[in-house]
Amino acid sequence: MANERCRVALFVLIVCAFAYAAVYTSSPAVSVNPCAQTLTRALLAVTGLDPYVVSCAADDGVSTPLLSDGGHDKINAGRVGGPIVTDLLQCRKPEGPDFPEDLQCCPPMPTSEPIDFTLPDPSEPLRTRRPAHVAGAEYMAKYERAIALMKALPRSDPRSFYQQAHIHCAYCTGAYRQVGHPELAVQVHFSWLFFPFHRAYLYFFERIAGKLLGDPGFAVPFWSWDVPEGMRMPLQFANASSPLYDQMRNPWHAPPKLVDLDYAMDVVENNYTDDEQIKHNLWIMYKQVHYIYGSPFLLLHAFVSLSIDRFVT
Ligand SMILES: *[C@@H]1O[C@H](CO)[C@@H](O)[C@H](O)[C@H]1NC(C)=O
Ligand SMILES: *[C@@H]1O[C@H](CO)[C@@H](O)[C@H](O)[C@H]1NC(C)=O
């Protein structure tokens, strides 16, 4: 059963990461939409990124692209629209040729009023995340225990691994729609929304892990794939007896092989030597994060999202 869950979660992540690029590259809707006349739309069409992250929903009926950034983009002030607001009552089955028939990842409906988030008490222990490749066996064993505990919870429990995977699924398969614009999906990849969503997602994931372990100071280890020493998948993820194992992962990329940060499912393996792979990985990191981040070409972040998703998995 645990494997089944992992399979669904992994499948969803892979689908989320790649399906949008594939589906929308050839979508004629991209070019007939009024927003298509702008650079942003043109870029989207070229890159095949999800056009839904650019909302035309200002009801102005003209060709101004509206990035849903809440109007905080000072440089593009006047060209940007309102925030993306999720309609929590409109969660639906993911639709599309790339999703399995029986995929359903809406979370259970809340039975009580939601509790507003408050910042943590400063007296709480400071959680320090450590890179997996230097965290040590004891620390990684603790992380494995946390995941085992999450997987052992009943599926209906919002803290279970199953429901945590569902959160990611619901926010990247179009299961949620935007308030007032049910034709617009809420998509947490391919735009500025990527970092805030995943930070919040990890924050609560980590708190659940700490609570289950009885260690409120527990911090999830992170995969430091952007330094050469960290460019292998952490060993525990390739150990078939570990709660971190997922049989659906491609064994070709398991340690001791260096990961290819530029890998895409439908592309042939590049068969680089380790030195070549490290150079290529550093190049892709530089190009995607250091060079592109903060520029008007922010939406090209799709490729960074792919890499980071591997860690979130
Ligand atoms: C694999 O994981 C199991 C369960 O956590 C552990 O007992 C075993 O030592 C691990 N094997 C290796 C080679 O690390
Ligand atoms: C890399 O090796 C695999 C397996 O031998 C092969 O299928 C693939 O075509 C190779 N890739 C390139 C770019 O030569």
Side-chain angles (χ1 to χ4, degrees), residues 12-55:
V12 165
L13 280 173
I14 289 169
V15 164
C16 287
F18 295 98
Y20 289 89
V23 171
Y24 292 108
T25 311
S26 56
S27 166
V30 170
S31 56
V32 298
N33 188 300
C35 296
Q37 310 312 317
T38 66
L39 175 65
T40 314
R41 274 278 153 168
L43 262 177
L44 282 171
V46 167
T47 55
L49 304 183
D50 181 7
Y52 284 2
V53 297
V54 178
S55 161

Side-chain angles (χ1 to χ4, degrees), residues 252 268-271:
W252 181 259
V268 286
E269 303 286 348
N270 57 34
N271 307 325

Side-chain angles (χ1 to χ4, degrees), residues 21-96:
V23 171
Y24 292 108
T25 311
S26 56
S27 166
V30 170
S31 56
V32 298
N33 188 300
C35 296
Q37 310 312 317
T38 66
L39 175 65
T40 314
R41 274 278 153 168
L43 262 177
L44 282 171
V46 167
T47 55
L49 304 183
D50 181 7
Y52 284 2
V53 297
V54 178
S55 161
C56 292
D59 303 324
D60 60 0
V62 296
S63 60
T64 314
L66 294 167
L67 296 177
S68 296
D69 81 339
H72 294 126
D73 182 345
K74 299 279 186 289
I75 296 165
N76 291 305
R79 291 207 313 123
V80 293
I84 291 177
V85 182
T86 309
D87 188 339
L88 293 171
L89 299 177
Q90 283 217 38
C91 193
R92 52 169 88 164
K93 212 171 105 35
E95 283 165 21

Side-chain angles (χ1 to χ4, degrees), residues 259-287:
V259 293
D260 175 5
L261 295 180
D262 198 21
Y263 176 73
M265 264 189 312
D266 52 354
V267 172
V268 286
E269 303 286 348
N270 57 34
N271 307 325
Y272 287 151
T273 64
D274 282 5
D275 279 351
E276 287 167 343
Q277 187 65 67
I278 288 171
K279 248 183 232 154
H280 192 76
N281 282 349
L282 291 173
W283 170 80
I284 199 88
M285 288 309 300
Y286 178 80
K287 194 155 190 301

Side-chain angles (χ1 to χ4, degrees), residues 141 144 235-236 238-243:
E144 289 178 298
L235 281 174
Q236 292 76 7
N239 173 355
S241 318
S242 168

